[in-house]
Amino acid sequence: MGESKYGVGVNNYRYETGDFNGDGKTDLVHFDVNNYVHLWHSNGDGSFSIKSFTPGGGYGVGVNNYRYETGDFNGDGKTDLVHFDVNNYVHLWHSNGDGSFSIKSFTPGGGYGVGVNNYRYETGDFNGDGKTDLVHFDVNNYVHLWHSNGDGSFSIKSFTPGGGYGVGVNNYRYETGDFNGDGKTDLVHFDVNNYVHLWHSNGDGSFSIKSFTPGPEFLTKSAIAKHRSLTGSGFEQSDRRFPQPTVCCQILN
């Protein structure tokens, strides 16, 4: 592959970052439109050592093949990838540390959709066990917490917040972090009605949720009017805890 032919531009698809060889330096992985994967190991001096491969066997990494997330899903200190494809398969790419990956694929089954229109994923260590987990917000107002088992499979717990709480497509933005310093990843949700909802992870697949609005000086006029019509006040805080049933997965090696 000559340097003059390697494209990094607008139409050459997708990049993700992580420490794929566990040396403490951030690397890059590049998925291009020709179904090649290019792993850029940082040399630490402003240069990269690039290894390229194509998965083969009809496996598509290109533009229309949906979504990737990164994390250390087996807790070995190297960044891995998880790929949700348009055919409702999940592919977990465990990094071998040498520019190659061991890939395990499964479909959740039971009508569970992971595809293009099934909304949003976030990553974090939601139970504090040192392995990266996933949380999936779907278009039907369900939350699915995927706890990594470390072997390429996940234990999935699902719930719906209820009470009119919306997690779906148009309900704005989520971010992750350990907001109470207990070693477990939490979530913060900013909704379209100018509320902030802090989801503290309980470590068992449930969350304790505290909600507030920053106050009149932070609100739009429409949000103030709507909030006061519902609550009769300009500020409200509430605590909620949501239970969840279990969903299982079929692993395809």
Side-chain angles (χ1 to χ4, degrees):
M1 181 181 63
E3 290 183 358
S4 62
K5 295 182 180 179
Y6 190 110
V8 298
V10 173
N11 294 317
N12 218 359
Y13 194 38
R14 186 177 181 96
Y15 297 82
E16 297 288 348
T17 60
D19 183 5
F20 295 103
N21 58 356
D23 66 353
K25 298 187 288 289
T26 301
D27 310 306
L28 289 156
V29 62
H30 172 206
F31 304 92
D32 77 16
V33 294
N34 297 311
N35 215 48
Y36 276 83
V37 182
H38 310 278
L39 192 56
W40 297 42
H41 281 141
S42 175
N43 297 319
D45 60 0
S47 66
F48 294 86
S49 299
I50 303 177
K51 293 188 176 183
S52 303
F53 66 92
T54 183
Y59 189 114
V61 300
V63 174
N64 294 317
N65 218 358
Y66 194 36
R67 186 178 181 94
Y68 296 83
E69 298 287 348
T70 58
D72 184 4
F73 295 102
N74 58 356
D76 67 351
K78 299 186 290 290
T79 301
D80 310 306
L81 291 154
V82 63
H83 173 205
F84 304 92
D85 77 17
V86 294
N87 297 311
N88 215 49
Y89 278 82
V90 182
H91 310 277
L92 192 55
W93 296 41
H94 281 142
S95 176
N96 297 319
D98 59 359
S100 67
F101 294 86
S102 298
I103 302 177
K104 292 189 175 182
S105 302
F106 67 90
T107 181
Y112 188 114
V114 300
V116 174
N117 294 317
N118 219 357
Y119 194 38
R120 186 177 181 94
Y121 297 83
E122 297 288 349
T123 59
D125 184 5
F126 295 103
N127 58 355
D129 67 352
K131 299 185 290 290
T132 301
D133 310 307
L134 291 154
V135 63
H136 172 206
F137 303 93
D138 76 17
V139 294
N140 297 311
N141 215 48
Y142 276 82
V143 182
H144 311 277
L145 191 56
W146 297 42
H147 281 142
S148 176
N149 297 319
D151 60 359
S153 67
F154 295 85
S155 298
I156 303 180
K157 294 186 175 183
S158 303
F159 65 89
T160 182
Y165 189 114
V167 300
V169 174
N170 294 317
N171 217 359
Y172 199 37
R173 186 176 182 92
Y174 297 83
E175 297 292 345
T176 59
D178 183 4
F179 295 106
N180 58 355
D182 66 352
K184 298 185 290 290
T185 301
D186 310 306
L187 290 154
V188 62
H189 172 206
F190 304 92
D191 77 17
V192 294
N193 297 311
N194 217 53
Y195 278 83
V196 181
H197 310 277
L198 190 56
W199 297 42
H200 281 140
S201 176
N202 297 316
D204 60 359
S206 67
F207 294 84
S208 297
I209 302 183
K210 293 188 175 183
S211 302
F212 66 92
T213 181
E217 70 280 1
F218 210 80
L219 296 173
T220 64
K221 290 182 179 179
S222 60
I224 294 171
K226 183 171 183 178
H227 178 59
R228 286 179 174 165
S229 69
L230 293 173
T231 67
S233 69
F235 181 87
E236 179 185 20
Q237 179 168 307
S238 61
D239 296 327
R240 312 180 193 185
R241 180 184 173 105
F242 299 134
Q244 57 290 313
T246 299
V247 178
C248 64
C249 292
Q250 176 186 1
I251 304 299
L252 303 177
N253 292 318

